[in-house]
Amino acid sequence: MDRTFTKHLFFLAILLLTITGAFAQTITVGTVDLGPYGQNSSIAVPINVNTTGGCVNSGNTYNLYLSDALGNFTPGTLIGSYTGVYSTFVNGVIPNGTPAGAGYKVEVKSTNPA
């Protein structure tokens, strides 16, 4: 193979990978009501799905996770979910046994993004 062709092919591959990564979907969590929340309290978390990279695939589930009291998601506690291609919020319930604290965070993950 010609060296020039190989170099061009390599740079084309890098460019395509860069462009593809730039258009990935993102889920942004909106402003969550500060509460107060306690055990068994329901919580509605507003989300915005940026679909610049394409539509959400069918069979998608948005999972809502609660961090520990220090704000760590290792691995996080699943507290709610919504199955569908589009939603403006995900509902959850604070589990029994959750200690009081002010350092909790929420996170939303998609199971089947485009």
Side-chain angles (χ1 to χ4, degrees):
M1 243 190 213
D2 183 72
R3 290 180 119 179
T4 305
F5 175 76
T6 305
K7 286 180 184 177
H8 285 101
L9 185 61
F10 174 75
F11 287 117
L12 179 63
I14 296 296
L15 178 64
L16 288 175
L17 288 174
T18 304
I19 290 173
T20 302
F23 293 108
Q25 287 178 342
T26 56
I27 301 172
T28 305
V29 174
T31 303
V32 179
D33 185 357
L34 295 177
Y37 296 101
Q39 297 177 15
N40 290 319
S41 293
S42 62
I43 182 171
V45 176
I47 62 171
N48 180 26
V49 180
N50 179 347
T51 57
T52 303
C55 295
V56 176
N57 293 323
S58 63
N60 180 64
T61 299
Y62 296 98
N63 288 323
L64 174 61
Y65 294 91
L66 182 67
S67 73
D68 63 17
L70 299 175
N72 300 313
F73 289 100
T74 50
T77 302
L78 180 65
I79 62 170
S81 63
Y82 170 78
T83 300
V85 293
Y86 182 75
S87 180
T88 57
F89 61 91
V90 181
N91 290 321
V93 175
I94 307 299
N96 276 332
T98 302
Y104 289 97
K105 295 179 183 177
V106 291
E107 176 179 63
V108 176
K109 293 182 182 179
S110 175
T111 62
N112 195 12

